[in-house]
Amino acid sequence: MDQRRRSHQQLILLVAAVAGGLLAAEPTGVAAADVVWSGGFVLGLAYVGGYAPRWVALTAAGCVSLVADTRLSLGLAIAAVALAAYNARQGRRSLRWGTLGSALVALSLLTGSGPEDRVLAAITTTTISVLLAVGGATGMRPRQRRRLLRRGAMGLGVVGLFALAGGLAALLARSNVDRGIDDFRAAQVVATNGDLAAAVQEFRSAEQAFRAADRPLSTFGRMGRLVPGLSQQLAAADAAVEAAGSAAEAAAVAGAEIDLDAVGVNAGRVDLVALRRTEAPVEELVA
């Protein structure tokens, strides 16, 4: 009997994990990582929540139905409530129905919980998940609980290492970013004073600094991009540094190609051909 119950539980967990991966949210913004995180979230909550007392499962299902903000999440939540209510009326707790109900709760949270504000949605998702997970952990046998804690600690350790790599990337990039900003501002001042040759040198220096800052973000930062929350910050930093480097390069090219004497007013006339030659580098700089 125990073997059959475990077989049913494993089948439910497998289907739930696949469904979570297919309905992947975007905790990191990296497609493959999002599939793993979403499937893992559903798998973990379904497994632990299957051992939760029936009143905990019913409470979690009721809460998720209140915060569901999409048709799909509401449908999954209603199914979870119905299943939890059915399980609560039985003579004894069913691991199979508890696991399935917890999977439905996890999928409902994954497909839309809380208001549109991301912070509030994260709070509601975390609160309901913790309620179900803690309830499930208390319903496990001590040996199962210890094994779960060991695996959880290992998982947190791996995530911590990836987060540390992302933080190191940001730290290594910081000094070059500051140098690039200083050089860019200096180039703007020099260019305003009409010394394009000196401005080009400053823009080239700024470009080199931004390119140097982009290297750790593109290497060590890739590990941090696998950590939810940190990933978006590193992606924004990488995009900003890359754009700054491209802007500095475009400014240097424009400064090198534009001849202020040729496009100035000479004897009451303007050389339109020379003026037209400035169009391409200026448009690139503006872009």
Side-chain angles (χ1 to χ4, degrees):
M1 178 66 71
D2 287 344
Q3 182 61 37
R4 190 171 71 174
R5 287 172 58 198
R6 282 195 292 271
S7 298
H8 289 163
Q9 182 193 34
Q10 290 170 356
L11 179 60
I12 293 170
L13 291 173
L14 176 61
V15 173
V18 171
L22 293 176
L23 296 173
E26 297 183 356
T28 67
V30 179
D34 289 341
V35 170
V36 173
W37 275 108
S38 299
F41 169 74
V42 176
L43 174 65
L45 195 59
Y47 173 73
V48 180
Y51 295 92
R54 287 175 287 183
W55 70 268
V56 172
L58 185 58
T59 301
C63 290
V64 81
S65 67
L66 294 176
V67 300
D69 65 347
T70 66
R71 290 183 178 180
L72 179 57
S73 63
L74 181 58
L76 291 167
I78 291 174
V81 170
L83 193 58
Y86 170 79
N87 196 22
R89 292 175 61 87
Q90 301 307 302
R92 56 179 296 181
R93 183 182 66 187
S94 168
L95 179 62
R96 175 179 56 187
W97 297 130
T99 301
L100 180 57
S102 298
L104 292 173
V105 168
L107 288 169
S108 179
L109 290 172
L110 194 66
T111 53
S113 66
E116 294 184 359
D117 185 277
R118 291 186 177 184
V119 175
L120 293 179
I123 291 174
T124 57
T125 298
T126 301
T127 301
I128 296 172
S129 299
V130 169
L131 170 67
L132 191 55
V134 171
T138 58
M140 288 180 168
R141 295 179 180 142
R143 187 175 63 180
Q144 286 179 302
R145 194 181 307 121
R146 287 194 298 270
R147 185 169 57 196
L148 179 66
L149 289 174
R150 282 197 302 270
R151 292 177 179 177
M154 291 174 59
L156 287 175
V158 172
V159 173
L161 287 175
F162 279 77
L164 185 62
L168 178 62
L171 187 63
L172 292 174
R174 177 61 187 270
S175 60
N176 285 313
V177 169
D178 290 340
R179 182 165 61 88
I181 292 173
D182 291 339
D183 290 342
F184 202 102
R185 287 174 176 168
Q188 289 177 301
V189 172
V190 175
T192 302
N193 294 331
D195 190 349
L196 286 187
V200 168
Q201 292 181 351
E202 293 289 354
F203 280 129
R204 287 298 183 192
S205 179
E207 179 194 358
Q208 292 172 2
F210 287 129
R211 300 302 185 201
D214 189 52
R215 282 192 286 271
L217 291 173
S218 301
T219 53
F220 295 115
R222 291 186 181 277
M223 297 176 66
R225 291 289 307 275
L226 302 178
V227 180
L230 178 61
S231 175
Q232 289 82 350
Q233 307 303 320
L234 289 171
D238 192 20
V241 168
E242 184 178 353
S246 298
E249 181 184 12
V253 170
E257 294 185 2
I258 294 175
D259 185 350
L260 291 181
D261 293 332
V263 298
V265 179
N266 297 304
R269 300 174 60 127
V270 175
D271 187 344
L272 296 182
V273 176
L275 189 62
R276 190 173 294 113
R277 281 198 295 267
T278 68
E279 183 177 3
V282 169
E283 285 185 345
E284 179 66 19
L285 177 57
V286 170

